[in-house]
Amino acid sequence: MNEMRRYSPVSFEKQPVQTELRGLWRVALKYPQEGEGPHLIDLSHKPKWDVQSSALDTIQPFGVEIPKSPGRCKLMHGRMVCRMNATQARIIITGQEKNEQPNTSEFTDITEGHLLLALTGPNLFSITEKLTSLDLQNPEKPTPYLFQGPFAHVPCQVVVVKNKTDNCLLLLSCSRGYARDMVDAVFAAGKEADLRPAGEAAFIL
Amino acid sequence: MSLTITCPICGKRSGYEFRYGGEDKGPRPDEDELTPEKWFDYTHLNTCIAGMQKEWWCHRDGCGTWFKIYRDTRTIGEVPLPVEDKIKDA
């Protein structure tokens, strides 16, 4: 009998030196010569949910209240809830806890349809400004904040989790079909900053 | 950047992120007295004003929202929404 397996759409040139089987996913924990950063981390295995309802304010996904205004995000107990517009929100499970699958029609599991990358390390915005015109350092947008717009010409959702010059963290999500070109574009832009692939162990919220 | 458009969700962005959705022609004509001529006029005919025009736009590369703005077709740029429209569209 064949074994069932889920594959991330993201692959790096280097092979991981430490992996872990989590559910049906093979998760890379560590890559060789990761260095001090900045790092690009594949988190596509993290559960992601799309929530759509005309009464979003009455829903509390995984016990977390959905923020009232679009762009605002809440990070609680390893769950990131981002308001996208009047009727739509996005949930990213950033922690390791197992979560019950919501059983109502408002929730759609998009884990396998979307990739999730984390960009972390110092001076990240010198890399991102080559890839997008989005003003990710806008001081009027309190972190964590969700930007929806083109990143490397691809419609993306970008969550700015930390935006300090010496400590930045971005979560980048888009359709899984863009994975190879997105990774190529990010590494090309990050070449002079010595951007390297890193495993999940380097992802610290 | 020649054109910027203000999305009600994401704020002011480059015009390249948006898709034009045509003139705002108001509500659909009433079904009871609808003739093929009236339907043709509604769906195909445009006023093509040289001046301030109310238009539909979609934030295609961003949040995907459809919304209306006023744009001056002579200068290309977006112009602020008149106060009465702000109240009506709210």
Side-chain angles (χ1 to χ4, degrees):
Chain A
M1 199 170 111
N2 290 333
E3 191 187 356
M4 198 169 166
R5 188 64 65 81
R6 285 177 166 158
Y7 290 94
S8 168
V10 177
S11 60
F12 300 138
E13 273 184 23
K14 286 182 182 174
Q15 293 302 310
V17 289
Q18 193 183 345
T19 63
E20 179 184 286
L21 196 61
R22 198 176 301 157
L24 299 173
W25 298 86
R26 172 72 63 187
V27 180
L29 299 177
K30 198 170 171 57
Y31 280 84
Q33 296 152 349
E34 288 184 351
E36 294 297 308
H39 292 135
L40 183 64
I41 306 166
D42 175 23
L43 298 175
S44 298
H45 58 278
K46 298 275 187 192
K48 298 174 278 294
W49 298 88
D50 186 63
V51 192
Q52 292 199 36
S53 168
S54 57
L56 268 190
D57 296 339
T58 62
I59 299 173
Q60 288 205 348
F62 307 107
V64 183
E65 197 180 329
I66 297 174
K68 299 277 183 247
S69 55
R72 292 292 178 99
C73 307
K74 255 186 198 166
L75 178 62
M76 206 180 277
H77 313 305
R79 291 151 193 158
M80 174 86 75
V81 180
C82 311
R83 182 75 175 239
M84 297 174 81
N85 54 44
T87 57
Q88 194 175 11
R90 178 67 48 91
I91 306 163
I92 303 169
I93 309 296
T94 54
Q96 302 279 9
E97 283 177 48
K98 286 203 169 178
N99 288 275
E100 289 293 313
Q101 182 152 327
N103 203 17
T104 54
S105 59
E106 291 91 356
F107 291 83
T108 307
D109 187 346
I110 57 164
T111 307
E112 289 179 77
H114 283 65
L115 65 89
L116 182 67
L117 293 169
L119 271 160
T120 179
N123 298 320
L124 270 189
F125 297 109
S126 63
I127 299 171
T128 59
E129 70 183 13
K130 296 181 192 174
L131 296 162
T132 180
S133 60
L134 296 173
D135 186 7
L136 301 176
Q137 281 183 295
N138 189 338
E140 290 174 10
K141 315 281 190 193
T143 56
Y145 198 88
L146 170 73
F147 291 85
Q148 300 172 83
F151 193 96
H153 303 285
V154 173
C156 285
Q157 292 85 45
V158 183
V159 183
V160 179
V161 185
K162 298 172 193 169
N163 65 356
K164 302 277 181 280
T165 314
D166 57 340
N167 185 16
C168 316
L169 175 57
L170 306 181
L171 295 174
L172 178 70
S173 176
C174 66
S175 293
R176 67 177 282 143
Y178 295 108
R180 191 185 61 181
D181 294 335
M182 180 61 75
V183 168
D184 280 354
V186 174
F187 275 126
K191 199 172 179 182
E192 67 180 352
D194 198 21
L195 179 71
R196 296 181 192 186
E200 197 199 40
F203 175 65
I204 300 159
L205 267 178
Chain B
M1 197 186 297
S2 58
L3 173 64
T4 57
I5 289 172
T6 308
C7 168
I9 302 289
C10 305
K12 197 173 181 178
R13 295 282 185 86
S14 159
Y16 292 113
E17 293 182 24
F18 296 84
R19 180 202 152 178
Y20 178 58
E23 292 175 9
D24 175 37
K25 299 175 184 175
R28 284 167 68 105
D30 193 1
E31 296 277 337
D32 294 338
E33 296 171 7
L34 189 63
T35 60
E37 290 76 21
K38 274 188 187 172
W39 183 246
F40 177 87
D41 289 355
Y42 179 74
T43 52
H44 296 295
L45 295 188
N46 292 306
T47 46
C48 300
I49 299 166
M52 208 159 77
Q53 177 169 277
K54 196 175 183 185
E55 301 170 339
W56 281 101
W57 285 81
C58 171
H59 195 187
R60 182 192 57 197
D61 288 354
C63 60
T65 305
W66 280 95
F67 58 96
K68 288 177 268 188
I69 60 162
Y70 275 93
R71 194 173 60 87
D72 191 330
T73 56
R74 294 163 302 184
T75 60
I76 299 176
E78 184 184 358
V79 289
L81 216 61
V83 176
E84 61 270 23
D85 263 54
K86 272 186 191 166
I87 297 163
K88 207 163 53 182
D89 288 351

